[in-house]
Amino acid sequence: MKFFLDTADISEIEEAASWGALAGVTTNPTLYSRVGGKLADFESHIGRICQIVGPDCPVSAESVAMTRDEIAEDGRRLAAIAPNVVVKIPTMVEGLAATRMLADEGIRVNMTLCFTVPQAMLAARAGARYISPFIGRFDDISEDGIQQVADIVEAVSNYDFTPDTVRGEQLEVIAASIRSADHVTKCALMGADIATVPFGVLKKMVKHPLTDAGIDSFMKDWEKVK
Ligand code: G3P
């Protein structure tokens, strides 16, 4: 399982990247507005993130256009920022059509706001490089977010989706809208390719009280040795 950071916060990305386990970043309009982002600075902000994480880490930047031609145009503009930009597009008819256009041009798409297996199958067939099923938001409406990601992971694994014929890359499922370390555990056990996590969850993933207690007792005992 790879870990992406689900944030537009530069300092969180810098910190997480320094930990050595970061494989990518996902942003969305809400996350960008949360850091006080302005439309005029959006592309340079995404460029800065790409620079921090390096060329091997995909960075998802979302299109907010609503028609296929506008989404595709947005996608081309975003993809031109850096080679590791992935265009995030919501799962909808216009989004599917734009995904096909961009995929045919070799531009990677992360199809987001995906909640069902049929949505995921359509995204895959339209050429999405990544599919992002949302866990927390599904739980929020009293559905089973984890089961939904498990079903999507299983359904995708039944077929050979290689959306990117230029690079030969396989489709990957990004478990998104993750709210806890336990979500990460369940996604890892079901074989989700990637978990995109907020920085708060990433910090919790490192910690365990027994680890802290163990470090503490080792330090104390080492004092005795000295
Ligand atoms: O990447 C988008 C997704 O992870 C959003 O999460 O917590 O706003 O549902 P959340």
Side-chain angles (χ1 to χ4, degrees), residues 4-5 7 13 23-27 45-62 78 82-88 108 110 130:
F4 287 6
L5 198 63
T7 187
I13 295 164
V25 173
T26 50
T27 68
H45 193 85
I46 295 295
R48 175 88 188 97
I49 295 173
C50 290
Q51 223 173 32
I52 295 166
V53 297
D56 296 333
C57 289
V59 175
S60 289
E62 191 153 342
L78 293 169
N84 48 331
V85 167
V86 173
V87 183
K88 214 173 177 189
R108 294 185 184 102
N110 172 2
Y130 302 95

Side-chain angles (χ1 to χ4, degrees), residues 120-121 124 131 151-161 171 173:
M121 292 292 103
I131 299 173
D151 289 348
I152 288 173
V153 167
E154 189 183 335
V156 162
S157 76
N158 288 337
Y159 306 95
D160 180 26
F161 290 115
L171 172 79
V173 174

